[in-house]
Amino acid sequence: MSLFQEIALASGDKYSQPLGLFIDNEFVASSNGSVLVTTNPATGKQITQVHAADPGKDVDEAVKAARKAFKPWKSVPITEKRDLFLKLAQLVKENTQLLAQVESLDSGKPLHTNAYGDIDGVVQTLTYLAGWIDKTSGEAFSPSPGKLCYTLHQPLGVVGCIIPFNYPLSMMSWKWTAIATGNTAVFKSAHQTPLSILVFAQLVVEAGFPPGVFNVISGEGGNVGDALVRHLGVDKIAFTGSTKVGQLVQSHAAVNLKPVTLECGGKSPLMVFEDADLEEAVKWAAFGIFHNMGQICSGTSRCFVQESKYEEFLIKLAAHVTANFPVGSPLGEDIVVGPQITKAQQERVMSFIDSGIKEGCRVVLGGTGLPEVIANDAVLANGYYVRPTILADVKPHYKIAQEEVFGPVLAVGTFCDYDDALRIANDSQYGLGAGIFSQDIKKCHEFADEVESGMVWINSSNDLDFHMPFGGVKMSGHGRELGKYGLLNFTNVKAVYVNMCKL
Ligand code: NAD
């Protein structure tokens, strides 16, 4: 199989898609000849196939390349590292059109309302990280005369980065924190979305990054991902994905006690109090679950409304979603809701809707069955679409309120007072995000203090800022990405004692 293939884009242009494994700044063939097929979720048609890594030889080659590059990369002056990041950010910006189209093709993200935003996020993240590179510092103090103590923030070595399908480039860019802090890395792309990261890899070479600093292997998680997790030459794993796989990663990484950060699943609550600005609550509730087709780890997928405003909220929400979240081809200019990532995921989401109905939920919007505009389109009918769905009268213990659906399904129920709201919000195995809508600032801060989550949104949902740490507690994982806290997850804080006294 060749290492590049010409692929036609929506714009009519063609581009050359790299297909190989990216090791030591070169695209190379899989040593065992295995391939990974990738499909366009919008149409169900195969796009192409890429080389899949051999879990033994190729994973080892990638780790060795990263190991060889580690010491030289560690000693590159910080201003040079910073400039490389800035150059890369600039190249991503210049290639936004291409990257966004590839991302949309491979993941089904609506091009105009979603994929372009993701690429802009990658530019912002790389620029943000560039800003940290020449500012990382330790602490120094003298506890007594003749004694000096200081700390060094040093890279760990080779980091294995495992990324999910829902934000392929964007989640990848967050993990560039590893490289910004002086580590080298082997990235395992999501098995459903291997294409955009390989296009991005060409920009890494063009920016001037030395060979081996950034490597990419494609393949299935259970073999290629697992081989990376267990590899004795890998010093840390940064994983983003489901809780089920996160548990495996944590236990298999124990082979050499490598540290792991786990960004896993969620079932984030959004609590709307009767004193809230209801119009705003409706808009954010919709954004918090229907953007990116509900494939958002921190999506506020369960919403509870204080009883007196419940019916009004539902009516307004259904009207807002109907008007502002059109479903269709990811290439449509106004389309906000594209397909789910795979047929299996489409069926899984439908079965959750079904089970919600069986449990006693009222369908306020959507439901099972294809959206009409899709069902009547010969090409799109083979894609993996699900209608934005609002299920009402949900009780906190229902499956639909407890399990992560990872699709465009919002479970809505009621609460009576603050204590009830807090109890419901914390009644979950997950603890990624939590939102509150109220005009009472005291109540909002109390909630922020008491809710069991890594992030809290007061009068919004899924607000994101690169300066802020992202991550969860409970079964949503541990460790943080982004912000100053994110840097610490990729460094060894070494304590140095300098003695200038005689014993
Ligand atoms: P997934 O767990 O199926 O896969 C994630 C990655 O792990 C993929 O690259 C996959 O190939 C790999 N993988 C699978 N099995 C593996 C194994 N045994 N060992 C090593 N790697 C393995 O998740 P997904 O379906 O790609 O993504 C959706 C999930 O990710 C959701 O649960 C979502 O909440 C979560 N997610 C979390 C965050 C966060 O920041 N907390 C962000 C995005 C997605």
Side-chain angles (χ1 to χ4, degrees):
M1 196 176 102
S2 66
L3 292 172
F4 293 87
Q5 182 189 343
E6 256 198 9
I7 292 183
L9 288 168
S11 59
D13 298 337
K14 287 187 174 157
Y15 79 104
S16 176
Q17 171 66 52
L19 306 174
L21 311 169
F22 182 72
I23 299 176
D24 244 345
N25 276 5
E26 308 248 341
F27 290 102
V28 296
S30 160
S31 67
N32 67 8
S34 64
V35 296
L36 183 73
V37 170
T38 185
T39 302
N40 179 354
T43 60
K45 285 209 180 106
Q46 176 175 329
I47 305 168
T48 184
Q49 47 188 27
V50 298
H51 290 260
D54 177 79
K57 190 165 185 309
D58 295 333
V59 172
D60 196 48
E61 285 299 319
V63 173
K64 274 191 191 138
R67 174 64 57 197
K68 187 159 68 85
F70 173 57
K71 273 205 173 158
W73 177 241
K74 186 172 169 245
S75 53
V76 170
I78 49 178
T79 48
E80 265 180 51
K81 284 199 189 106
R82 177 203 59 201
D83 292 348
L84 283 169
F85 267 66
L86 291 174
K87 179 84 202 297
L88 182 59
Q90 181 59 31
L91 286 171
V92 172
K93 192 170 185 175
E94 287 166 12
N95 285 276
T96 296
Q97 291 266 350
L98 172 63
L99 290 167
Q101 287 187 78
V102 176
E103 195 77 313
S104 172
L105 177 71
D106 208 16
S107 71
K109 277 172 188 279
L111 179 62
H112 299 277
T113 60
N114 186 325
Y116 278 117
D118 273 20
I119 307 306
D120 183 51
V122 174
V123 175
Q124 302 301 332
T125 306
L126 291 171
T127 309
Y128 173 75
L129 290 173
W132 273 119
I133 292 174
D134 59 357
K135 294 173 196 65
T136 43
S137 61
E139 290 173 351
F141 67 100
S142 174
S144 58
K147 298 267 185 192
L148 173 67
C149 299
Y150 64 92
T151 55
L152 291 171
H153 289 195
Q154 296 195 306
L156 297 164
V158 175
V159 179
C161 299
I162 300 181
I163 49 184
F165 73 79
N166 61 335
Y167 289 95
L169 282 180
S170 173
M171 290 294 105
M172 175 212 68
S173 70
W174 291 15
K175 295 191 190 320
W176 267 72
T177 309
I179 297 174
T181 43
N183 303 281
T184 54
V186 177
F187 281 70
K188 213 293 278 168
S189 53
H191 51 279
Q192 307 91 335
T193 52
L195 298 185
S196 57
I197 192 169
L198 296 174
V199 177
F200 172 88
Q202 294 173 302
L203 305 181
V204 175
V205 179
E206 196 179 335
F209 279 84
V213 170
F214 170 76
N215 306 276
V216 183
I217 48 177
S218 312
E220 293 289 345
N223 52 23
V224 177
D226 191 50
L228 187 63
V229 169
R230 293 175 189 264
H231 200 293
L232 298 177
V234 173
D235 300 292
K236 181 204 160 89
I237 291 289
F239 170 82
T240 301
S242 61
T243 293
K244 206 170 98 204
V245 175
Q247 287 176 302
L248 290 177
V249 167
Q250 179 156 332
S251 69
H252 296 174
V255 62
N256 61 338
L257 280 191
K258 55 173 80 74
V260 292
T261 43
L262 298 178
E263 298 280 2
C264 297
K267 192 77 196 175
S268 302
L270 185 66
M271 313 312 283
V272 180
F273 284 79
E274 60 192 4
D275 61 357
D277 178 335
L278 212 61
E279 307 291 335
E280 282 300 301
V282 160
K283 286 188 212 158
W284 282 103
F287 172 76
I289 184 62
F290 297 123
H291 188 69
N292 209 42
M293 290 67 75
Q295 300 168 146
I296 323 167
C297 53
S298 50
T300 35
S301 50
R302 55 189 179 115
C303 177
F304 291 88
V305 185
Q306 202 157 10
E307 282 154 352
S308 63
K309 295 286 178 176
Y310 179 59
E311 289 300 338
E312 187 184 347
F313 177 85
L314 283 172
I315 291 166
K316 287 193 154 103
L317 182 65
H320 177 75
V321 175
T322 305
N324 294 285
F325 288 81
V327 184
S329 158
L331 301 175
E333 283 211 1
D334 303 325
I335 294 303
V336 181
V337 184
Q340 300 294 291
I341 191 69
T342 55
K343 178 114 193 111
Q345 184 58 14
Q346 179 197 36
E347 287 169 0
R348 188 171 169 273
V349 176
M350 297 280 195
S351 85
F352 264 106
I353 298 174
D354 226 18
S355 90
I357 296 169
K358 284 190 186 121
E359 274 180 305
C361 297
R362 169 167 47 120
V363 182
V364 172
L365 192 73
T368 53
L370 283 182
E372 223 169 277
V373 56
I374 301 296
N376 296 333
D377 185 304
V379 177
L380 300 181
N382 293 315
Y384 315 135
Y385 300 83
V386 175
R387 292 188 282 178
T389 296
I390 302 171
L391 297 179
D393 306 343
V394 169
K395 301 283 178 245
H397 66 273
Y398 284 4
K399 181 176 162 197
I400 195 77
Q402 289 291 333
E403 292 186 21
E404 185 182 45
V405 178
F406 219 56
V409 182
L410 179 62
V412 190
T414 59
F415 64 86
C416 57
D417 57 16
Y418 176 83
D419 288 344
D420 195 28
L422 184 66
R423 183 188 55 74
I424 293 171
N426 285 339
D427 178 18
S428 172
Q429 61 169 326
Y430 296 110
L432 194 48
I436 176 169
F437 266 86
S438 165
Q439 312 246 25
D440 177 349
I441 197 74
K442 184 170 170 289
K443 188 159 56 190
C444 291
H445 286 296
E446 240 172 82
F447 181 80
D449 180 43
E450 294 181 306
V451 74
E452 294 160 1
S453 69
M455 298 168 287
V456 178
W457 302 287
I458 296 177
N459 293 324
S460 72
S461 171
N462 281 273
D463 234 359
L464 180 76
D465 191 289
F466 303 112
H467 302 83
M468 295 289 279
F470 190 101
V473 295
K474 295 158 84 174
M475 296 296 270
S476 291
H478 50 77
R480 293 293 179 269
E481 291 193 334
L482 300 180
K484 196 173 180 180
Y485 302 90
L487 301 173
L488 291 174
N489 283 301
F490 292 95
T491 51
N492 167 28
V493 183
K494 188 184 274 176
V496 183
Y497 292 80
V498 184
N499 176 40
M500 293 166 282
C501 306
K502 292 201 186 310
L503 195 60

